[in-house]
Amino acid sequence: MNTTSLGLLLLCTLLLSGCPSSTKHLEGNTWVPQGFAAYKAAKKQAAISPEGIVYNIRHEKNEPFAGLLFWKKAMKKRLLDTGYIFVAESDIQSKKQKGYLLELAAPVGKQDFTWLIALYVVNNKLHIVEASGEEKIFKQHRQAIVDAAQKVGDIL
Amino acid sequence: MIKPHNVFLLLTLMLCLSTPAFASLPSMAMNSSFTLKVDDKEAVMDRLVLKAEAVGGYFLVLSDQKLILNIPQPQADRFIQFAIAQGRVLTQTQNSDDIHTQLMVKESMLKSKQTMLKKYMTVLKESDAAHAVSVEQALGKLVYQIEGLKGDIKLMRHRLDFARISFHFRFRDRTTPSANQASSFPWLNRMKLPNLLESFQ
């Protein structure tokens, strides 16, 4: 390899490393819903749509240790008791994991917001995918969010 | 075997269909009903009535929980879009009746009865006193039928011109969810929509 080629290679490497991290994030992460951009947040996998629909994945300890059936009942009861409006629920099945999908509504200021939660229980961890935004805009992204939440089950 | 009377009716129908007055009429009578969950029922009702009047419509019923409007058919779709943006739609039903054919039949019946009326009038003029009473009785019956048909036609044309849209209202509870008691499961205490939204601010 001559010095010119080596120089070009170094230049390319430098240019590539200088690319915006969000693009790298989107391309490399299947958890980001289609049409969303990865959002930099501490210790979180977060994404946001151009209209402000938010998407977030977080992890909790499975304490007390229990299965999906237990946690889906506990979560639904807790959130409905708190005052969130029930919209829909269903199972969510990725290639590897079975999860639970809960859709709620709540007023936020003068607007109505949808809050979609997907829950996976894997050994001693709870994996919670949440997405929310104004209900009419949310509807436009709902399928992409559910698809992404489904893929999360595969990468756990 | 087709009777001459039926042939006449059919020809009248075809003639009616080809006339510009019928061509411009919508063929369906539209009825829609919505249940809307709204924050301020009175304000929404006022807005809907004002909008209805602005597009050439009017209200039929305006009560505590219910509003029925007649909206010109060409404006109906746009009006519905405006109305459903005022709240959350809980239920929605829409149906349409094809009354165009019925209207044409009534129109042709009216024409034939009006022709018959003219003939009866001629007969009445020429009849002697003995027959005049029975002709007058037949005339009275015919006039009654003609007035009935005119009323039906007017009603049917109105049903074609105006879509009837009904609204039922429910109050939308806008209380922000809040936990009065802590959950026994710590992670569920952290499950709050404001927490999620604030993490993006």
Side-chain angles (χ1 to χ4, degrees):
Chain A
M1 194 180 280
N2 59 30
T3 46
T4 317
S5 308
L6 194 66
L8 272 169
L9 190 70
L10 276 168
L11 187 67
C12 285
T13 316
L14 272 169
L15 283 171
L16 278 172
S17 64
C19 284
S21 61
S22 59
T23 316
K24 208 170 134 189
H25 217 165
L26 268 175
E27 285 168 358
N29 295 291
T30 51
W31 59 267
V32 177
Q34 201 177 3
F36 282 58
Y39 188 89
K40 281 191 174 181
K43 294 178 187 177
K44 276 182 181 176
Q45 288 173 293
I48 192 161
S49 80
E51 305 91 341
I53 302 297
V54 297
Y55 180 89
N56 178 47
I57 307 170
R58 60 193 185 89
H59 314 278
E60 295 278 356
K61 285 180 184 171
N62 185 359
E63 279 179 359
F65 189 83
L68 181 66
L69 191 66
F70 176 91
W71 284 123
K72 74 180 193 182
K73 278 184 186 170
M75 183 174 77
K76 183 181 171 186
K77 185 181 184 314
R78 170 69 182 173
L79 296 175
L80 296 190
D81 286 351
T82 309
Y84 291 97
I85 302 155
F86 175 80
V87 177
E89 66 180 335
S90 64
D91 288 335
I92 183 165
Q93 183 70 58
S94 73
K95 286 174 193 166
K96 288 183 186 172
Q97 299 291 337
K98 186 181 176 181
Y100 172 62
L101 198 68
L102 178 64
E103 204 170 328
L104 304 166
V108 174
K110 287 188 172 181
Q111 292 180 310
D112 289 308
F113 268 50
T114 300
W115 185 18
L116 188 140
I117 306 158
L119 174 70
Y120 292 100
V121 182
V122 183
N123 303 322
N124 60 348
K125 284 275 181 190
L126 304 174
H127 306 276
I128 304 144
V129 183
E130 294 173 89
S132 184
E134 197 280 322
E135 68 171 358
K136 281 178 188 162
I137 303 168
F138 191 91
K139 267 184 193 169
Q140 297 164 17
H141 291 286
R142 191 184 178 282
Q143 195 53 53
I145 290 165
V146 173
D147 289 347
Q150 205 168 15
K151 283 176 191 165
V152 168
D154 293 329
I155 56 173
L156 293 174
Chain B
M1 186 76 179
I2 301 170
K3 292 176 182 173
H5 171 74
N6 290 345
V7 175
F8 171 73
L9 205 65
L10 195 68
L11 280 170
T12 318
L13 279 176
M14 285 166 74
L15 196 73
C16 285
L17 266 174
S18 62
T19 57
F22 272 94
S24 64
L25 266 180
S27 62
M28 298 284 189
M30 237 182 81
N31 290 300
S32 308
S33 177
F34 297 89
T35 306
L36 284 181
K37 208 168 189 181
V38 294
D39 303 334
D40 187 344
K41 189 182 62 192
E42 280 77 22
V44 172
M45 279 180 160
D46 287 347
R47 279 202 291 273
L48 291 179
V49 170
L50 278 174
K51 181 75 175 173
E53 286 169 354
V55 298
Y58 60 94
F59 73 84
L60 284 174
V61 177
L62 178 60
S63 72
D64 193 31
Q65 300 289 331
K66 197 175 172 184
L67 174 65
I68 302 177
L69 299 162
N70 267 354
I71 303 294
Q73 276 240 32
Q75 311 294 329
D77 284 345
R78 198 177 286 182
F79 182 85
I80 288 170
Q81 291 309 312
F82 171 82
I84 60 177
Q86 305 297 316
R88 184 196 291 251
V89 178
L90 296 179
T91 62
Q92 177 176 350
T93 55
Q94 275 182 293
N95 59 60
S96 45
D97 300 326
D98 189 352
I99 59 168
H100 201 223
T101 317
Q102 294 172 44
L103 177 62
M104 286 189 297
V105 170
K106 296 253 184 198
E107 292 268 16
S108 62
M109 281 168 74
L110 178 65
K111 275 182 188 169
S112 65
K113 285 195 189 290
Q114 282 170 333
T115 312
M116 209 182 288
L117 183 72
K118 280 179 190 166
K119 284 179 186 170
Y120 272 24
M121 294 300 276
T122 318
V123 173
L124 186 67
K125 278 178 193 167
E126 291 164 2
S127 61
D128 53 28
H131 293 102
V133 177
S134 56
V135 176
E136 268 179 4
Q137 277 177 346
L139 259 172
K141 204 174 165 183
L142 199 60
V143 168
Y144 177 77
Q145 287 172 350
I146 286 171
E147 290 309 313
L149 281 170
K150 278 182 180 172
D152 289 351
I153 288 165
K154 202 174 174 183
L155 194 70
M156 286 168 118
R157 280 187 171 271
H158 191 265
R159 281 191 69 200
L160 288 174
D161 286 340
F162 287 86
R164 184 165 294 185
I165 308 173
S166 313
F167 297 97
H168 301 265
F169 296 97
R170 302 263 173 84
F171 177 69
R172 178 160 56 184
D173 184 8
R174 297 203 64 81
T175 314
T176 309
S178 63
N180 294 326
Q181 287 184 329
S183 166
S184 312
F185 312 115
W187 75 272
L188 282 179
N189 287 321
R190 293 190 289 274
M191 282 291 286
K192 290 171 186 167
L193 181 57
N195 290 356
L196 171 67
L197 300 175
E198 280 162 18
S199 68
F200 282 82
Q201 284 169 359

